Amino acid sequence: MMRRLAQLCLLTGALWAGLALAAADTPPGFALSSAHPDATAAGVEILEAGGNAFDAAVAVSAALAVVEPTGSGMGGGGFWLLHLADTGRQVMVDGREEAPSAATATLYQNDAGEVVPQLSRDGALAAAIPGQPAALVHLAKEYGRLPLARSLAPAIRLARDGFPVDGPLLARLAYRFQALAKSPAAARVFLPDGGLPAPDSLIRQPDLADMLERLAREGRDGFYTGEYARRLVDGVRAAGGIWRMEDLARYQVREREPITLELDGLRLVSASPPSSGGVVLSQVMQVLSLTEALSRPPVDRKHLVIEALRTAYRDRAAWLGDPDHVDMPITRLTSAEYAAEIAAEIDLEQARRSADLAPPQQLYADRPNTTHFSIIDAEGNRVAATLSINLSFGSAYMVPGTGILLNDEMDDFSAKPGVPNAYGLVGTQANAVGPGRRPLSSMTPTFVETGDRVAVLGTPGGSRIITMVLLGVLATLDGADAQTIVSAPRYHHQYLPDAVYYEPGAFTEAEQAELEARGFTLRSAGREYGNFHAVLWNTADHQLDAAADPRGIGTAAVRLAPAAESP
Ligand code: GLY
């Protein structure tokens, strides 16, 4: 007999009952985790110099732009989710890239109306107007305690003096070799003598150091107007791009209300559009609560997670885009009533089919990209920041004389309804290319607050970001420590393609057999993915815990304040 779950929707979802919101208190020190040891050290330096979490976020973001150019950069953008300890205010700083004013809905289609993927992935036409420089100035001015020049100092040092080539960087340079070789400025920095650099040789970026110094001196105008902006626009246009001076001049950071979900004592605070992350997480968590997923056997929990993701990613494709340009049914998508409708459709004996919900399957593509860091300072301020230039090294085009490696975030738009982007994600007019629009993102910087802990979570990983964060939220609710949260094997479903992708170890053999018997298509991802960073403040026992994903080379740091170290 079918085990329809409709009746469960009547239950109150007691799985998180008993959790009260985190008590007001201050942590015993500070903790952070990022994707590169030099970036973590930059954050530690700034916190030890008297900066707060927001100054440290500026330092870590800028340092990552230098030492992890595959993932994010001053030519890219991101979302910085902030918690201000003194007022309890939470805000998302939206430094997402924006389409240039000459962008049109068919920009990445040929005369026959076919999408030409390379156009939105490699080279200057793929680049949207960067948001990170404006966001760092905004963070320092509105929320920081130290001068911008102080917070940028570690990154400037790393850019000028150089940093040693590490394994992941070398692997990604090899992967993007052809595209980078076409950009003389990028090749000069990353491909000495036209080939791959030797392991541990130093990468120096003097133009980027100059740019950061200019930003410290002149603020946003040092990037978005004047002689430097002219250099950017001329370089982009000479390489086939469509930027105009006014596109840079009008770029503004936006402050957005995060998506917040309060559910049985859990408080989840996450990224709002133009990120899809918070909406997907909110919908999925409510479906999991209604179906009592956390208290079920592991295989049933996984079944429910996959089915909840299937619908949530369908809705992502159908509805979500730039909130300044698209009306989105966010209230409905994140409502308890809608979650109950979804829960009622799930059958614990049989997988549904995405084709019954919408159009044809396309192949999944995933490339290492993006970056994340998490910080809690000794006052209880928090930053969860996920930053990107999209695919590894973004567009792989460096504008001559600027030090700026441009993003290829235009590929996050839906180049044509129903045609998948590099992550296999489909979309509709809601996420069409258009002048001044911000492409829909999966970046999901997230805070989890329960009765006895606060977690600052996030990861890179394209369309898989949201499912990784979801699994991190569930692990947090299970009481896992930071190392377990970042290490746990992952699985993913994004509606189309209609398959569950998994890392080795995500399912036991018995679970795999059972899920296949229920009708799910399981495909090994073929490798590990993600680079998760978790910082936990256990308010009940006054402990800080932080961990960097063992899949990457990042590091975490916990420093106790002197008073907290005394018995
Ligand atoms: N560029 C990846 C994302 O924003 O989802």
Side-chain angles (χ1 to χ4, degrees), residues 79 96 316 369-370 388-391 409 412 423 440-443 462-463 465:
F79 302 120
R96 181 73 162 161
R316 176 194 194 280
N369 74 93
T370 309
S388 186
I389 51 172
N390 201 23
L391 304 180
E409 220 72 74
D412 276 349
Y423 304 109
L440 183 62
S441 172
S442 300
M443 293 188 287
S463 59
I465 290 174

Short mmCIF file of all heavy atoms in Angstrom, two decimals, residues 79 96 316 369-370 388-391 409 412 423 440-443 462-463 465, ligand 1:
data_model
loop_
_atom_site.label_atom_id
_atom_site.label_comp_id
_atom_site.label_asym_id
_atom_site.label_seq_id
_atom_site.Cartn_x
_atom_site.Cartn_y
_atom_site.Cartn_z
N PHE A 79 27.45 37.68 -2.07
CA PHE A 79 26.47 38.05 -1.04
C PHE A 79 27.15 37.93 0.32
O PHE A 79 27.72 36.88 0.63
CB PHE A 79 25.27 37.12 -1.08
CG PHE A 79 24.56 37.09 -2.40
CD1 PHE A 79 24.45 35.91 -3.12
CD2 PHE A 79 23.99 38.24 -2.94
CE1 PHE A 79 23.80 35.87 -4.35
CE2 PHE A 79 23.34 38.21 -4.16
CZ PHE A 79 23.25 37.03 -4.86
N ARG A 96 26.13 41.44 -6.01
CA ARG A 96 26.03 40.58 -7.19
C ARG A 96 26.32 41.42 -8.44
O ARG A 96 25.94 42.60 -8.51
CB ARG A 96 24.62 40.01 -7.26
CG ARG A 96 24.34 39.07 -8.43
CD ARG A 96 25.01 37.75 -8.26
NE ARG A 96 24.42 36.72 -9.14
CZ ARG A 96 25.05 35.59 -9.46
NH1 ARG A 96 26.25 35.34 -8.97
NH2 ARG A 96 24.48 34.70 -10.23
N ARG A 316 12.47 27.14 -8.46
CA ARG A 316 13.59 28.06 -8.72
C ARG A 316 13.63 28.41 -10.20
O ARG A 316 13.72 29.57 -10.59
CB ARG A 316 14.90 27.37 -8.30
CG ARG A 316 16.15 28.16 -8.58
CD ARG A 316 17.39 27.28 -8.48
NE ARG A 316 18.60 28.07 -8.42
CZ ARG A 316 19.22 28.62 -9.46
NH1 ARG A 316 18.71 28.45 -10.68
NH2 ARG A 316 20.30 29.33 -9.31
N ASN A 369 34.23 26.28 -8.65
CA ASN A 369 34.12 27.74 -8.74
C ASN A 369 33.59 28.29 -7.44
O ASN A 369 33.11 27.56 -6.60
CB ASN A 369 33.16 28.13 -9.86
CG ASN A 369 31.73 27.87 -9.48
OD1 ASN A 369 31.06 28.75 -8.97
ND2 ASN A 369 31.27 26.66 -9.65
N THR A 370 33.66 29.62 -7.32
CA THR A 370 33.06 30.31 -6.18
C THR A 370 33.84 30.02 -4.90
O THR A 370 34.72 29.17 -4.87
CB THR A 370 31.56 29.94 -6.07
OG1 THR A 370 30.95 30.13 -7.34
CG2 THR A 370 30.81 30.78 -5.07
N SER A 388 31.79 35.04 -5.86
CA SER A 388 31.99 34.27 -7.08
C SER A 388 32.47 35.12 -8.24
O SER A 388 32.23 36.33 -8.27
CB SER A 388 30.66 33.61 -7.48
OG SER A 388 30.84 32.75 -8.57
N ILE A 389 33.15 34.47 -9.16
CA ILE A 389 33.30 35.02 -10.51
C ILE A 389 32.72 34.00 -11.49
O ILE A 389 32.99 34.03 -12.67
CB ILE A 389 34.75 35.40 -10.86
CG1 ILE A 389 35.72 34.26 -10.57
CG2 ILE A 389 35.19 36.64 -10.12
CD1 ILE A 389 37.13 34.55 -11.09
N ASN A 390 31.93 33.09 -10.98
CA ASN A 390 31.27 31.98 -11.67
C ASN A 390 32.26 30.87 -12.00
O ASN A 390 32.90 30.37 -11.10
CB ASN A 390 30.48 32.44 -12.89
CG ASN A 390 29.42 31.40 -13.25
OD1 ASN A 390 29.02 30.62 -12.40
ND2 ASN A 390 28.99 31.35 -14.48
N LEU A 391 32.41 30.43 -13.24
CA LEU A 391 33.26 29.26 -13.52
C LEU A 391 34.70 29.53 -13.09
O LEU A 391 35.06 30.69 -12.85
CB LEU A 391 33.19 28.92 -15.01
CG LEU A 391 31.77 28.67 -15.54
CD1 LEU A 391 31.81 28.34 -17.03
CD2 LEU A 391 31.08 27.55 -14.79
N GLU A 409 29.58 35.69 -15.04
CA GLU A 409 28.33 35.51 -14.31
C GLU A 409 27.11 35.60 -15.24
O GLU A 409 26.01 35.20 -14.87
CB GLU A 409 28.23 36.57 -13.22
CG GLU A 409 27.68 36.09 -11.90
CD GLU A 409 28.64 35.19 -11.12
OE1 GLU A 409 29.62 35.69 -10.56
OE2 GLU A 409 28.38 33.99 -11.06
N ASP A 412 24.87 32.68 -15.59
CA ASP A 412 23.86 32.34 -14.58
C ASP A 412 22.46 32.80 -15.01
O ASP A 412 21.46 32.43 -14.39
CB ASP A 412 24.21 32.95 -13.22
CG ASP A 412 25.19 32.07 -12.45
OD1 ASP A 412 25.43 30.93 -12.87
OD2 ASP A 412 25.72 32.54 -11.43
N TYR A 423 25.53 24.76 -15.23
CA TYR A 423 25.20 23.88 -14.10
C TYR A 423 24.02 22.98 -14.40
O TYR A 423 23.49 22.33 -13.50
CB TYR A 423 24.90 24.71 -12.85
CG TYR A 423 26.04 25.64 -12.50
CD1 TYR A 423 25.90 27.01 -12.67
CD2 TYR A 423 27.24 25.14 -12.04
CE1 TYR A 423 26.95 27.87 -12.37
CE2 TYR A 423 28.29 25.98 -11.74
CZ TYR A 423 28.15 27.34 -11.91
OH TYR A 423 29.19 28.16 -11.63
N LEU A 440 20.26 35.25 -11.55
CA LEU A 440 19.85 34.43 -10.41
C LEU A 440 21.02 33.57 -9.96
O LEU A 440 21.71 32.96 -10.77
CB LEU A 440 18.68 33.54 -10.82
CG LEU A 440 18.08 32.67 -9.71
CD1 LEU A 440 17.50 33.52 -8.58
CD2 LEU A 440 17.00 31.76 -10.28
N SER A 441 21.19 33.51 -8.65
CA SER A 441 22.34 32.80 -8.07
C SER A 441 21.88 31.64 -7.21
O SER A 441 20.72 31.59 -6.77
CB SER A 441 23.12 33.80 -7.22
OG SER A 441 24.13 33.14 -6.49
N SER A 442 22.79 30.71 -6.95
CA SER A 442 22.54 29.65 -5.98
C SER A 442 23.32 29.88 -4.68
O SER A 442 23.24 29.07 -3.76
CB SER A 442 22.95 28.30 -6.55
OG SER A 442 22.23 28.02 -7.72
N MET A 443 24.07 30.96 -4.61
CA MET A 443 24.91 31.19 -3.43
C MET A 443 24.03 31.36 -2.20
O MET A 443 23.08 32.14 -2.22
CB MET A 443 25.81 32.39 -3.66
CG MET A 443 26.83 32.15 -4.76
SD MET A 443 28.06 33.45 -4.92
CE MET A 443 27.11 34.76 -5.66
N GLY A 462 28.28 25.87 -7.39
CA GLY A 462 27.26 26.05 -8.43
C GLY A 462 25.87 25.69 -7.93
O GLY A 462 25.49 26.04 -6.81
N SER A 463 25.15 24.93 -8.75
CA SER A 463 23.77 24.61 -8.38
C SER A 463 23.70 23.70 -7.16
O SER A 463 22.65 23.56 -6.54
CB SER A 463 23.08 23.94 -9.57
OG SER A 463 23.79 22.76 -9.92
N ILE A 465 25.23 24.19 -4.42
CA ILE A 465 25.43 24.95 -3.18
C ILE A 465 24.24 24.77 -2.24
O ILE A 465 24.40 24.51 -1.04
CB ILE A 465 25.61 26.45 -3.49
CG1 ILE A 465 26.95 26.71 -4.18
CG2 ILE A 465 25.49 27.29 -2.21
CD1 ILE A 465 27.14 28.15 -4.65
N1 GLY B 1 27.90 31.73 -10.01
C1 GLY B 1 27.30 30.75 -9.20
C2 GLY B 1 26.04 31.23 -8.56
O1 GLY B 1 25.92 32.39 -8.29
O2 GLY B 1 25.14 30.45 -8.33
#
